């Protein structure tokens, strides 16, 4: 008998990607929450809003250095996989919970499916890039959101029989909830101005070092000279950005992390977005909101070729913001298979795999 399918979820973006996959699968499933993200606003609110099932277990690993966190994830996951004998483990994205689950499952000879396989920034300094490469090597099913990922996987020697282009489940969630993203409601709820730039910043490269954070804050203040800046702050970097004086400009509105519905509504109502997030590059592409990504590279180039995204350096950020506010860079189109049906396509690939 084939054991249950286990979804391993740990961090905010995992929840958004998993919801349509769990909904589309009609077999015995269990959800392991690793506890990598644990604040109510980083975790529970997403489960509630996205209609995710209560996790069957929460490992409560919490925050720590990469080695300590990954080791705790692996110990907890090995125990759970031993008890539950899954037939297949599904992992999402590129966070530490993703690689930990793939590594434990592979060593226990449990098949692994990786949702969002093959994305590459080719930036070895990003912890996510390490997680992506290794997870794909360990996965029996590489479920791809974007066509260029197929070439990346092939170039790394992944057998083409393991690669399935299924589309983007994060966009399934976005399209499904579109009617709930009520800009007027979110404006009233958070007292947002009519015209604002929405910013999010949490990458280690941007927010961990005080000097870098200070340089970033100077640019964000210059943006706030042009238009009000609304910034829901991820807990990572919060202290450093505040110490660098982020709040010291009257045009800057700092918010706590928002739930999914309020956050995307705030994005939808923004004149433009400034970010270093991965998922937000994709969401702004579909919403048609201009996006400046403060990174030297992206694992999501399709958001540049088909969407509203642009990469900027610190020095380019303010001029590019001014330009985008004056004449917003429009949207070129929708990436292939970002059509709201990725969840059912993933379920189909998985059912075929189980059948075989
Ligand atoms: C993780 C992912 C990153 C993803 C991001 C989405 C890795 C290596 N990185 O980064 O790819 O873009 O999630 O949010 O997995 N913290 C809290 N409460 C929480 C969670 C975190 O206060 O619920 C704080 C802690 O101080 C912690 C820090 O945020 O040390 C970083 O958390 P961590 O899980 O290590 O990585 P993220 O920066 O969230």
């Amino acid at each position: 008998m084939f054991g249950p399918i286990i979804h391993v979820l740990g961090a905010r973006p995992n929840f958004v990607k998993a919801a349509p996959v769990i909904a589309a699968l009609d077999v015995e499933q269990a959800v392991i929450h690793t506890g990598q993200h644990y604040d109510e606003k980083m975790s529970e609110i997403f489960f509630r809003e996205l209609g995710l099932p209560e996790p069957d277990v929460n490992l409560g690993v919490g925050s720590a250095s990469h080695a300590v966190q990954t080791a705790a994830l692996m110990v907890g996951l090995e125990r759970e996989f031993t008890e539950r004998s899954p037939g297949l483990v599904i992992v999402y994205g590129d966070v530490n919970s993703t690689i930990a689950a793939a590594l434990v499952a592979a060593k226990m000879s449990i098949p692994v499916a990786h949702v969002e396989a093959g994305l590459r920034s080719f930036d070895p300094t990003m912890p996510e890039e390490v997680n992506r490469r290794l997870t794909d090597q360990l996965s029996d099913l590489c479920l791809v959101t974007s066509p260029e990922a197929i070439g990346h996987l092939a170039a790394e020697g992944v057998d083409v029989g393991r690669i399935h282009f299924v589309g983007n489940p994060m966009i399934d969630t976005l399209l499904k909830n579109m009617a709930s993203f009520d800009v007027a409601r979110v404006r009233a709820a958070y007292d947002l101005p009519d015209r604002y730039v929405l910013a999010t910043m949490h990458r280690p490269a941007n927010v961990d070092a005080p000097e870098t954070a200070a340089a970033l804050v100077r640019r964000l203040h210059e943006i706030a000279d042009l238009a009000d800046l609304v910034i829901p702050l991820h807990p990572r970097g919060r202290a450093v950005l505040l110490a660098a004086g982020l709040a010291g400009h009257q045009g800057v509105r700092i918010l706590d992390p928002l739930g999914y519905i309020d956050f995307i509504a705030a994005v939808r109502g923004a004149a433009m977005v400034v970010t270093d997030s991965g998922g937000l590059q994709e969401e702004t592409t579909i919403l048609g909101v201009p996006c400046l990504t403060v990174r030297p590279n992206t694992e999501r180039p399709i958001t540049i070729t088909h969407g509203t995204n642009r990469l900027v350096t610190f020095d380019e950020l303010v001029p590019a913001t001014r330009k985008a506010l004056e004449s917003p860079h429009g949207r070129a189109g929708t990436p292939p298979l970002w059509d709201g049906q990725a969840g059912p396509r993933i379920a189909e690939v998985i059912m075929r795999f189980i059948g075989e």
Side-chain angles (χ1 to χ4, degrees):
M1 203 199 88
F2 200 85
I5 289 181
I6 290 193
H7 305 262
V8 177
L9 311 182
R12 204 163 53 166
N14 293 164
F15 311 141
V16 183
K17 290 163 198 168
V21 180
I22 293 172
L25 278 168
D26 189 17
V27 286
E28 191 192 346
Q29 314 181 58
V31 171
I32 298 181
H33 190 322
T34 65
Q36 179 175 344
H37 284 177
Y38 44 86
D39 290 346
E40 201 272 336
K41 290 194 168 134
M42 300 291 286
S43 178
E44 277 98 329
I45 189 166
F46 285 77
F47 277 75
R48 273 200 312 279
E49 290 185 340
L50 302 178
L52 279 161
E54 242 340 79
D56 292 82
V57 60
N58 188 321
L59 304 180
V61 298
S63 307
S65 71
H66 282 273
V68 171
Q69 187 181 58
T70 308
L73 286 160
M74 289 180 68
V75 171
L77 288 166
E78 185 180 58
R79 187 184 62 234
E80 290 300 325
F81 294 170
T82 302
E83 266 173 31
R84 294 167 190 271
S85 304
L88 175 81
V89 168
I90 308 185
V91 300
Y92 296 84
D94 55 17
V95 303
N96 285 348
S97 299
T98 311
I99 176 61
L103 190 50
V104 171
K107 292 218 176 152
M108 295 176 75
S109 301
I110 301 164
V112 178
H114 181 205
V115 173
E116 202 181 85
L119 296 187
R120 297 290 180 267
S121 64
F122 301 101
D123 179 351
T125 67
M126 284 180 79
E128 295 85 354
E129 184 73 358
V130 178
N131 294 343
R132 290 182 197 115
R133 280 179 180 275
L134 298 179
T135 301
D136 287 335
Q137 286 298 326
L138 298 169
S139 296
D140 300 82
L141 295 173
C142 288
L143 302 161
V144 163
T145 55
S146 186
E148 80 283 357
I150 299 168
H152 298 154
L153 292 167
E156 290 168 18
V158 174
D159 186 287
V160 289
R162 284 161 49 199
I163 306 172
H164 303 269
F165 178 32
V166 291
N168 191 336
M170 193 170 230
I171 301 306
D172 287 22
T173 300
L174 184 81
L175 296 176
K176 182 176 171 216
N177 290 287
M178 198 61 93
S180 311
F181 306 135
D182 184 339
V183 176
R185 189 189 56 73
V186 87
R187 240 190 212 113
Y190 297 93
D191 193 21
L192 303 181
D194 283 345
R195 182 167 177 267
Y196 60 91
V197 174
L198 185 119
T200 77
M201 288 289 153
H202 77 284
R203 292 267 158 219
N206 285 336
V207 303
D208 278 8
E211 323 76 70
T212 312
L216 179 61
V217 164
R218 278 201 299 281
R219 269 63 172 213
L220 294 176
H221 284 177
E222 285 179 50
I223 291 176
D225 290 337
L226 304 173
D228 283 306
L229 184 79
V230 175
I231 177 159
L233 270 192
H234 186 292
R236 174 180 212 114
R238 185 182 179 96
V240 176
L241 288 170
L242 291 178
L246 179 62
H249 187 298
Q250 59 179 17
V252 173
R253 280 286 312 278
I254 297 173
L255 304 178
D256 283 338
L258 299 177
Y260 180 73
I261 300 293
D262 283 0
F263 179 68
I264 301 290
V267 171
R268 195 182 197 180
M272 58 177 292
V273 161
V274 170
T275 192
D276 58 9
S277 151
L280 194 44
Q281 298 171 50
E282 300 182 341
E283 289 156 340
T284 49
T285 278
I286 296 302
L287 294 167
V289 175
C291 178
L292 297 177
T293 299
V294 190
R295 283 178 45 189
N297 48 57
T298 177
E299 62 290 332
R300 292 165 163 88
I302 203 156
T303 60
I304 300 175
T305 54
H306 288 61
T308 58
N309 188 26
R310 296 220 177 131
L311 299 181
V312 289
T313 62
F314 276 21
D315 286 342
E316 290 162 347
L317 177 57
V318 179
T321 300
R322 187 178 292 113
K323 198 158 156 230
L325 286 171
E326 282 163 9
S327 49
H329 44 281
R331 120 190 215 188
T334 304
L337 300 193
W338 290 22
D339 59 356
Q341 294 304 314
R345 279 192 288 266
I346 290 169
E348 205 182 300
V349 171
I350 286 171
M351 294 316 287
R352 215 181 314 133
F353 178 81
I354 292 175
E356 283 163 9

